[in-house]
Amino acid sequence: MGRHALPKTHLLTKTRQFQRVYQLGHRLRGNGYNIIVLPNGVGFNRLGISVQKKIGNAVRRNRIKRLIRETFRLNRNMFPANSDIVVTIGPGFQTNSLSALQASMEEILGAQNKRRPLA
């Protein structure tokens, strides 16, 4: 893998991993999406993505997931360190460009870090 790749170990894949973050994590609300953050003991960030079927067909849902993974891959320092991060997408989500998604997440995470650090 290239030095900027996102290895599979940096992704949440198991239902129990998602459930733990949902139950114990801190929620940040965006426009049509939520970011749920929970510190972990792994030593690096892990990302999970949940997109509701109400969003649209499989093509649209997969595009959204690709955009979120790419935002995470390119901006890991923007997210709290050593945390499990789940991004949930709801019906109000409208962003279709990488730059708009990055700006939106930066705004939410930056505002949260000014108030109180998550990790």
Side-chain angles (χ1 to χ4, degrees):
M1 277 192 195
R3 79 174 207 225
H4 294 293
L6 182 62
K8 297 256 186 206
T9 57
H10 289 228
L11 298 174
L12 298 176
T13 56
K14 307 278 189 229
T15 302
R16 69 177 182 272
Q17 294 171 329
F18 278 86
Q19 291 300 325
R20 185 171 174 270
V21 175
Y22 287 144
Q23 291 171 0
L24 303 173
H26 178 76
R27 294 176 189 272
L28 304 172
R29 299 193 193 312
N31 192 12
Y33 67 94
N34 293 321
I35 300 173
I36 309 166
V37 180
L38 179 68
N40 65 24
V42 180
F44 52 85
N45 287 350
R46 296 186 298 185
L47 175 68
I49 303 169
S50 174
V51 182
Q52 294 180 7
K53 286 194 174 185
K54 294 177 185 177
I55 296 300
N57 61 14
V59 174
R60 174 147 165 73
R61 293 193 307 269
N62 286 326
R63 167 125 175 98
I64 291 168
K65 289 187 242 181
R66 283 194 307 273
L67 290 172
I68 293 168
R69 276 193 302 270
E70 188 67 2
T71 299
F72 180 75
R73 185 184 74 81
L74 293 174
N75 303 291
R76 290 185 199 181
N77 59 343
M78 176 173 68
F79 294 91
N82 303 326
S83 298
D84 287 341
I85 299 152
V86 175
V87 179
T88 60
I89 305 296
F93 187 78
Q94 294 298 320
T95 305
N96 275 325
S97 73
L98 183 61
S99 59
L101 181 61
Q102 285 176 348
S104 176
M105 286 188 170
E106 219 171 271
E107 183 180 321
I108 290 169
L109 291 167
Q112 175 59 35
N113 287 338
K114 286 179 185 174
R115 280 184 265 150
R116 181 186 72 199
L118 296 173

